[in-house]
Amino acid sequence: MWPSLFSRYVLREVLVLSAICLFVSTTCIMLGVVLHQLVAAGLGLRAFLEMLPYAMLVSLQFAVPSTLLFAVCSVFGRMAADNEIVAVTGAGVHPMRVITPVLLLSLVISPILVWINDLAMSQGQPGLNRVVMHSLEDIVYGFLRSNGSYASQSGFLIHVEDVQDRWLIHPTIMITGGTDTTTIVAEKASISLNAENETLVINLVNWQSDNGTAWSLDGGKDSMVLEMPLEKAARKSRESVRISEVAFSEMAVVGGDLMREKQTYEQALLSRCSTAMVSGRYGLFSDSLSLNQLAALKDIDRRKFRLACEPWRRWALGFCCFSFTILGVPMAIWKRSADYWSSFGVCFLPILVIYYPLFALGVDRAKNGQWPPFSPFLGNICITLMGLVLLRKVCRS
């Protein structure tokens, strides 16, 4: 049935207020995300402009549910305070005729937000990281000019006495790989970015290296080019494939890769166990190779649990729009306040206290394999049930 005139009026009020709040909140969150990256990494204007579209995707996933809740609480709180709901009920119109179009609107927005969450996780956050990676040359120079040193979590460190133009004066470079550490000193060096190969190129002049035993002079006045992968040179190390950044369309492929990787380790471990039983070399059960294979199997199981939980997490975050709306509408009517922030605060309090802790608990347990993959929906179910109870009471009263 087509919405009545009053229902269309309510929908228009909710949509207009949602659009205004969404623009303001998205802009604030987007600038906050970008400025945080700029301050943390010391990037320039070019990186700022490149980050904006990715930051918009990241900010939308947080802004849409809160702005819809604010609009719903504001509109229905003002209508209840002005006795418009009472007037409509007195005219013989059931309150659900007014509320249902707004609930359907939130139900339509929810799958759109799921799609936005998928884009934000698979393209937005990786895009921000990629801009930071490709700006690594400026980041390194910025840290060296201000602090005289730069270090990453992957065992890459540079210390210089001075920076003159693009030259590093008397640099000391330490590269750690496993238990080995290589130290390189030079008269001067320069840094450049090879974006095609995604490496940080260090040109050394008059350099010496130490492999942990003795110093050796290599090259004399000749230069040497040292290439460092961006993943190793970045300040924050990252996994090669992060489950949280896998798109919906790629999850089946990643799941198949994990199964094949697990079968490979299982077959290798089974082969070692068979060899140990036949030959009587029982030490093979607990040697370093077997322990590493067992650790790899545990890591694969951990990633499988995370992969199984990830779709449910995104769907739960998307459909929180519907859960927030079904709770916000009756609470705003019950509060009967024309003050926007008062109505929003009353509605947001149970969401803050109940929804987000339950959601975080469900995600944490599902990622560990202790609870089923659909556990992130616990918060949605709880908030929706609370909203249905309140909606029933409001309609009866």
Side-chain angles (χ1 to χ4, degrees), residues 9-27:
Y9 157 74
V10 174
L11 277 175
R12 184 173 64 251
E13 291 290 314
V14 171
L15 286 173
V16 170
L17 188 56
S18 296
I20 295 173
C21 295
L22 183 62
F23 174 78
V24 174
S25 60
T26 302
T27 303

Side-chain angles (χ1 to χ4, degrees), residues 86-367:
V86 176
V88 170
T89 305
V93 178
H94 196 275
M96 286 303 299
R97 290 286 302 276
V98 180
I99 297 173
T100 299
V102 178
L103 296 180
L104 293 177
L105 174 66
S106 66
L107 198 59
V108 170
I109 293 176
S110 294
I112 298 176
L113 184 58
V114 174
W115 174 66
I116 292 175
N117 288 333
D118 183 52
L119 290 179
M121 297 306 297
S122 62
Q123 299 183 24
Q125 193 60 50
L128 291 174
N129 296 329
R130 189 163 53 251
V131 172
V132 173
M133 287 288 188
H134 288 180
S135 304
L136 195 56
E137 177 183 346
D138 298 331
I139 295 173
V140 173
Y141 272 112
F143 272 92
L144 292 177
R145 285 194 179 96
S146 59
N147 302 327
S149 63
Y150 172 86
S152 72
Q153 294 180 351
S154 302
F156 174 67
L157 182 143
I158 303 180
H159 178 78
V160 298
E161 292 184 4
D162 192 16
V163 179
Q164 298 178 2
D165 194 16
R166 305 295 288 183
W167 284 105
L168 310 179
I169 307 303
H170 295 155
T172 300
I173 302 173
M174 299 181 66
I175 304 172
T176 303
T179 58
D180 299 328
T181 299
T182 301
T183 303
I184 302 174
V185 297
E187 179 184 344
K188 60 181 181 179
S190 64
I191 297 175
S192 60
L193 176 71
N194 188 334
E196 183 178 351
N197 297 333
E198 293 196 343
T199 56
L200 191 68
V201 181
I202 306 174
N203 293 283
L204 301 165
V205 176
N206 193 15
W207 56 279
Q208 287 180 310
S209 66
D210 174 25
N211 59 3
T213 57
W215 287 92
S216 61
L217 180 64
D218 299 306
K221 294 294 183 180
D222 297 333
S223 62
M224 181 188 75
V225 176
L226 178 66
E227 292 196 12
M228 183 71 56
L230 294 184
E231 291 288 344
K232 185 173 182 62
R235 288 177 60 81
K236 293 184 179 180
S237 59
R238 302 175 66 248
E239 299 177 8
S240 57
V241 178
R242 297 189 63 178
I243 299 300
S244 60
E245 295 179 359
V246 177
F248 278 137
S249 58
E250 300 174 354
M251 287 185 178
V253 177
V254 174
D257 292 340
L258 289 176
M259 288 297 298
R260 285 188 291 271
E261 187 178 356
K262 183 177 181 179
Q263 289 175 358
T264 301
Y265 279 109
E266 287 177 341
Q267 290 173 359
L269 192 60
L270 181 61
S271 176
R272 288 184 63 82
C273 292
S274 301
T275 302
M277 293 294 293
V278 172
S279 62
R281 298 163 58 190
Y282 300 111
L284 294 178
F285 287 118
S286 58
D287 63 354
S288 59
L289 182 57
S290 297
L291 293 177
N292 290 336
Q293 290 174 344
L294 286 173
L297 285 174
K298 290 181 179 179
D299 182 66
I300 292 173
D301 287 336
R302 179 183 63 85
R303 285 185 287 166
K304 286 177 60 180
F305 289 137
R306 292 176 65 90
L307 184 63
C309 170
E310 187 62 26
W312 293 97
R313 186 179 73 86
R314 296 182 191 180
W315 281 95
L317 283 176
F319 275 82
C320 71
C321 283
F322 177 73
S323 301
F324 290 1
T325 302
I326 206 169
L327 177 67
V329 169
M331 289 201 72
I333 296 175
W334 168 75
K335 183 67 172 59
R336 297 174 59 89
S337 175
D339 181 20
Y340 290 169
W341 291 108
S342 176
S343 299
F344 177 74
V346 170
C347 297
F348 190 70
L349 183 61
I351 292 173
L352 188 64
V353 174
I354 298 175
Y355 174 78
Y356 286 110
L358 282 177
F359 172 77
L361 179 65
V363 170
D364 182 67
R365 292 293 188 269
K367 284 182 176 180

